């Protein structure tokens, strides 16, 4: 049945899965690659794939000679480097839009998975949070939540973003060129 298939597909949420651990081979190759590139300028560095292809036998032999304690130390170094790595905020609009789209795609899957696992139904409406955010509204409904909005709220779900925009702006915007940014864009969230 469709319900059984969905429950099998979404049995475990992607958000609940843990990331793969560090493996000693990758940690070892990382150290050796960094050593080989030491002293090289940015454009003159050896690419990782080329480095592995040219030194594979030597790398395999050296890695096999490592003790368990040495492998664990390499792994610990990588874990520490990951922990200390700073994640830069996405400042440009294109990167922000890609991040939002990827996040909403994941949220859609997670809602469907939750619905399949537990029978919970729901919806969300996401709108931009500031004037600088140029993203369009995002709306998601599970099947029964969409029917709820239609029957109880008497609204066609796909028209929610247009209704919200129309009710907020229609008849309220008077062009004010001297204070356009503050009076129009910031107040109403609308760029004309």
């Amino acid at each position: 049945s469709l319900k059984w298939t969905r429950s099998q597909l979404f049995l475990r949420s992607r958000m609940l899965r843990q990331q793969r651990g560090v493996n000693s081979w990758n940690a070892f190759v990382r150290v050796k690659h960094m050593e080989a590139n030491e002293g090289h300028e940015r454009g003159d560095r050896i690419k990782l794939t080329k480095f592995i292809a040219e030194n594979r036998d030597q790398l395999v032999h050296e890695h096999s000679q490592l003790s368990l304690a040495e492998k664990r130390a390499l792994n610990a170094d990588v874990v520490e480097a990951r922990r200390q790595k700073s994640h830069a905020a996405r400042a440009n609009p294109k990167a922000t839009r890609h991040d939002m789209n990827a996040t909403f795609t994941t949220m859609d899957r997670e809602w469907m998975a939750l619905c399949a696992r537990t029978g919970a139904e729901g919806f969300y409406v996401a709108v931009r949070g500031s004037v600088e955010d140029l993203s369009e509204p995002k709306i998601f409904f599970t099947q029964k939540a969409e029917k709820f909005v239609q029957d109880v709220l008497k609204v066609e779900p796909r028209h929610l973003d247009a209704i919200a925009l129309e009710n907020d702006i229609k008849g309220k915007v008077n062009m004010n060129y001297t204070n356009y940014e503050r009076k129009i864009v910031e107040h109403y969230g609308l760029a004309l």
Side-chain angles (χ1 to χ4, degrees):
S1 81
L2 182 60
K3 188 173 182 177
W4 180 86
T5 304
R6 277 190 185 159
S7 68
Q8 292 302 306
L9 288 173
F10 297 120
L11 195 56
R12 285 203 30 96
S13 166
R14 186 177 145 230
M15 290 181 179
L16 295 176
R17 293 184 198 142
Q18 292 184 1
Q19 291 182 341
R20 290 176 49 185
V22 179
N23 93 29
S24 64
W25 168 256
N26 288 345
F28 173 74
V29 170
R30 175 182 172 267
V31 168
K32 291 296 183 181
H33 184 240
M34 287 171 46
E35 288 173 1
N37 279 324
E38 204 169 293
H40 287 82
E41 292 298 319
R42 190 174 189 115
D44 298 330
R45 294 180 184 155
I46 304 165
K47 302 289 183 206
L48 179 62
T49 51
K50 182 179 178 185
F51 175 74
I52 292 173
E54 291 175 353
N55 301 297
R56 182 160 186 80
D57 294 335
Q58 180 184 353
L59 290 169
V60 168
H61 176 71
E62 287 181 30
H63 182 260
S64 67
Q65 300 299 314
L66 293 176
S67 69
L68 185 59
E70 290 170 320
K71 290 178 181 179
R72 285 185 179 157
L74 286 170
N75 290 353
D77 290 343
V78 171
V79 169
E80 181 62 24
R82 284 182 183 175
R83 190 182 65 74
Q84 289 181 356
K85 184 178 180 181
S86 66
H87 297 283
R90 296 174 182 244
N92 69 47
K94 184 176 180 181
T96 301
R97 189 178 71 244
H98 284 295
D99 185 25
M100 285 179 58
N101 288 338
T103 301
F104 285 122
T105 299
T106 301
M107 286 172 60
D108 290 355
R109 275 193 234 114
E110 289 300 317
W111 264 105
M112 293 307 293
L114 180 66
C115 180
R117 285 192 319 268
T118 65
E121 300 286 337
F123 68 95
Y124 67 81
V125 177
V127 295
R128 65 185 184 171
S130 70
V131 175
E132 290 81 26
D133 181 9
L134 302 176
S135 61
E136 69 278 0
K138 301 281 187 186
I139 299 175
F140 171 81
F141 294 90
T142 59
Q143 192 173 10
K144 290 180 183 174
E146 185 171 5
K147 186 165 175 27
F148 169 82
V149 171
Q150 288 171 333
D151 295 346
V152 176
L153 301 177
K154 306 290 189 227
V155 175
E156 193 62 36
R158 65 180 176 274
H159 297 300
L160 276 179
D161 57 342
I163 291 169
L165 186 62
E166 183 179 325
N167 287 337
D168 189 36
I169 295 168
K170 191 175 183 179
K172 295 181 183 178
V173 176
N174 297 320
M175 189 46 106
N176 181 347
Y177 292 99
T178 56
N179 293 316
Y180 169 74
E181 199 62 36
R182 185 171 50 90
K183 296 247 180 172
I184 306 295
V185 177
E186 288 180 9
H187 186 269
Y188 292 106
L190 174 70
L192 302 176

